[in-house]
Amino acid sequence: MKGKYIEKIIEILQGNNRLTNKEIGVMIHLTGQAVGNRIIKLVENGIIRKFSVEIEYPKNQFIRVFMDRNNFSDFEQFVNSYEAVSSIYKVSGQACYMVIGHFLDDSLNEFIQEISKYGRYSVEVVVADKTSRNKII
């Protein structure tokens, strides 16, 4: 699904998904109804999967976990109990899991002590976000 309006609608929604169809229409010279119809088609075709809020966390960590035993269910339940964990992925490669965390210093130390009961780990702390915010997918 391509077209000059489609790409512009996606670009606008990526910048601010709270705009009304009418507001978007004014920006690209279409009616609100025409914009709404195009957005519906984008959702139906799986191009837009969800509308979400992007949170700017003060700290971000990528924590790789190398399990000593295969008590995966217990580990997953434990990790998911932490509010500061936004994602946990079971991965292939050297690590068993990749945990995306947003811990402050003291709570990160506590979390690391607890996950060490399950296996080895490595922690990468984000020092700068270099993501381009104006990408069109």
Side-chain angles (χ1 to χ4, degrees):
M1 196 173 174
K2 287 286 182 188
K4 69 177 183 177
Y5 292 119
I6 295 296
E7 290 177 4
K8 192 66 179 161
I9 289 169
I10 291 171
E11 181 181 336
I12 292 168
L13 287 172
Q14 284 178 317
N16 182 355
N17 65 14
R18 296 192 62 164
L19 293 172
T20 66
N21 294 344
K22 184 176 179 179
E23 290 170 325
I24 296 170
V26 167
M27 296 167 79
I28 62 173
H29 310 292
L30 285 178
T31 66
Q33 183 176 4
V35 169
N37 289 337
R38 284 171 172 81
I39 291 172
I40 288 169
K41 287 189 189 306
L42 288 166
V43 171
E44 288 173 348
N45 290 323
I47 295 168
I48 294 177
R49 292 186 302 175
K50 63 182 177 178
F51 296 87
S52 62
V53 175
E54 185 176 322
I55 299 170
E56 186 66 37
Y57 293 102
K59 304 261 183 165
N60 299 297
Q61 302 91 20
F62 298 100
I63 304 164
R64 295 186 315 156
V65 181
F66 309 86
M67 301 290 286
D68 287 340
R69 297 173 297 284
N70 36 336
N71 50 347
F72 303 120
S73 298
D74 292 343
F75 177 76
E76 292 166 10
Q77 186 176 2
F78 161 73
V79 171
N80 280 310
S81 72
Y82 276 80
E83 288 290 322
V85 170
S86 61
S87 303
I88 174 174
Y89 300 100
K90 189 156 182 35
V91 296
S92 64
Q94 293 180 357
C96 298
Y97 288 95
M98 175 67 76
V99 178
I100 311 300
H102 311 287
F103 293 94
L104 299 178
D105 295 334
D106 292 341
S107 59
L108 176 60
N109 291 336
E110 174 192 313
F111 181 72
I112 294 302
Q113 286 178 350
E114 291 298 316
I115 65 169
S116 67
K117 296 174 184 173
Y118 293 93
R120 297 176 298 112
Y121 60 87
S122 72
V123 179
E124 309 297 329
V125 177
V126 175
V127 294
D129 184 350
K130 298 298 185 176
T131 307
S132 172
R133 299 287 182 227
N134 55 3
K135 291 192 268 186
I136 297 180
I137 298 173

